[in-house]
Amino acid sequence: MNNTARYLVFSKAWLIVSVFLMLTFSSFVNADHAVEPVSPSIINVCDDMSEWPPYTYWERVNGKVNKNKLTGAMIDLLDEISVLTGFKFHVEMRPWKRCLLEVDKFSTSKRFEMFINGTFNSDRAEKYFLTAPIYFNRPGVWYSKKRFPDGFTIKTFEQLKNYKLCGVQGYNYERYKILDPNQIDTGATTVDNALRKVEVGRCDLLLESAAIPYGFQAIGQNFIPEGVAYTPITESPETGFHVFIAKSSPRAYELLAKINQAIVILNSEGVIDDIMKSYLPTCGRHC
């Protein structure tokens, strides 16, 4: 199906959805949603300035970082969503916690209406609308070969309670089913720093999937210490990654419906799989 045909299918579907949204949600629109007009087509989006390859990262030119251009699987996907919805997505990198805060406070800051590459938790569900999942990662851990010279395997989340755990500040670890967040040392501000804490023995395990460290490796930034290795939590379910939308945006419902509709179309046509496999040939959308 060419872009014109796809857009026509999308437009007809959106007409039906928009009527439904106006009838269903009009009673929920309050004074906060009428503060200032926003651009009718440009959507400002933020993501983690630490980068999230192969999904969002700065272009590399001859091994040097070009901070004037973002690339990655999610950037390509936003371009495809733009074709279907007419929205233009402008992505900027910010400290992760700051990014989430600015989307949450969009009614006053008027800076970012969306963030990308996020996972579900109950707190986020209260603050933002989230789209259908776009790609999936399986939870896993990184461990020190010195600490575990015979290798390390883990089947269930329950087994994690037996180890000293590390994470990254601001990341969501609800998917690891750890009841006490204080059990996780999140002093590290980047995955790089967290891996080094494992290397030197400051924690037994880093809670992180394989895609991101290997994604950095693929773009020539290999910060996986030689003595650190990865293993999946074999009986864990996959975790979906979503686009999150500010509930205080005056067009929040429109964004949610149009982006979800685009995700459905792109998924049915295999476009999402093709984009993900171009960056992650071995696992694609499911890593």
Side-chain angles (χ1 to χ4, degrees), residues 14 50 57 80 125 142 160-161 163 170 176 233 270:
W14 168 239
S50 297
Y57 59 96
E80 292 289 340
W142 294 79
L160 291 171
K161 67 181 182 181
Y163 302 97
Y176 284 88
I233 301 175

Side-chain angles (χ1 to χ4, degrees), residues 153-276:
T153 58
I154 185 167
K155 291 184 177 181
T156 67
F157 294 125
E158 178 70 16
Q159 293 173 274
L160 291 171
K161 67 181 182 181
N162 300 317
Y163 302 97
K164 185 177 180 182
L165 307 174
C166 272
V168 179
Q169 188 179 106
Y171 281 21
N172 172 29
Y173 294 103
E174 192 169 295
R175 61 178 172 152
Y176 284 88
K177 311 299 182 186
I178 296 169
L179 297 178
D180 181 8
N182 294 321
Q183 188 184 348
I184 309 171
D185 174 0
T186 55
T189 56
T190 66
V191 176
D192 183 1
N193 291 339
L195 283 166
R196 297 196 182 282
K197 290 174 77 170
V198 174
E199 180 186 28
V200 300
R202 291 178 60 188
C203 51
D204 298 323
L205 305 172
L206 167 63
L207 306 177
E208 183 57 70
S209 63
I212 304 310
Y214 287 139
F216 273 107
Q217 190 176 64
I219 62 172
Q221 191 174 338
N222 183 16
F223 55 58
I224 304 172
E226 186 175 342
V228 175
Y230 171 81
T231 189
I233 301 175
T234 55
E235 295 181 8
S236 64
E238 291 184 318
T239 300
F241 284 73
H242 311 258
V243 172
F244 287 75
I245 300 165
K247 285 188 175 182
S248 60
S249 167
R251 54 185 172 186
Y253 302 122
E254 179 186 3
L255 285 169
L256 181 63
K258 283 189 172 182
I259 292 172
N260 269 335
Q261 183 74 13
I263 291 170
V264 170
I265 292 172
L266 295 170
N267 184 45
S268 69
E269 295 181 354
V271 174
I272 298 177
D273 282 330
D274 289 345
I275 289 173
M276 295 298 166

Side-chain angles (χ1 to χ4, degrees), residues 87-99:
F87 290 125
K88 303 298 181 185
F89 300 99
H90 175 69
V91 183
E92 294 185 27
M93 306 295 259
R94 291 287 185 272
W96 184 238
K97 291 181 72 174
R98 183 69 184 176
C99 171

Side-chain angles (χ1 to χ4, degrees), residues 69-124:
K69 184 177 180 181
L70 286 169
T71 188
M74 277 300 297
I75 301 300
D76 291 354
L77 183 60
L78 288 177
D79 288 343
E80 292 289 340
I81 293 173
S82 180
V83 170
L84 291 175
T85 63
F87 290 125
K88 303 298 181 185
F89 300 99
H90 175 69
V91 183
E92 294 185 27
M93 306 295 259
R94 291 287 185 272
W96 184 238
K97 291 181 72 174
R98 183 69 184 176
C99 171
L100 271 59
L101 179 63
E102 294 221 21
V103 176
D104 181 31
K105 304 299 183 185
F106 177 75
S107 61
T108 53
S109 69
K110 293 292 185 292
R111 298 199 63 182
F112 298 107
E113 283 182 85
M114 299 182 355
F115 68 86
I116 53 178
N117 297 315
T119 57
F120 169 87
N121 66 29
S122 54
D123 180 61
R124 289 179 183 175

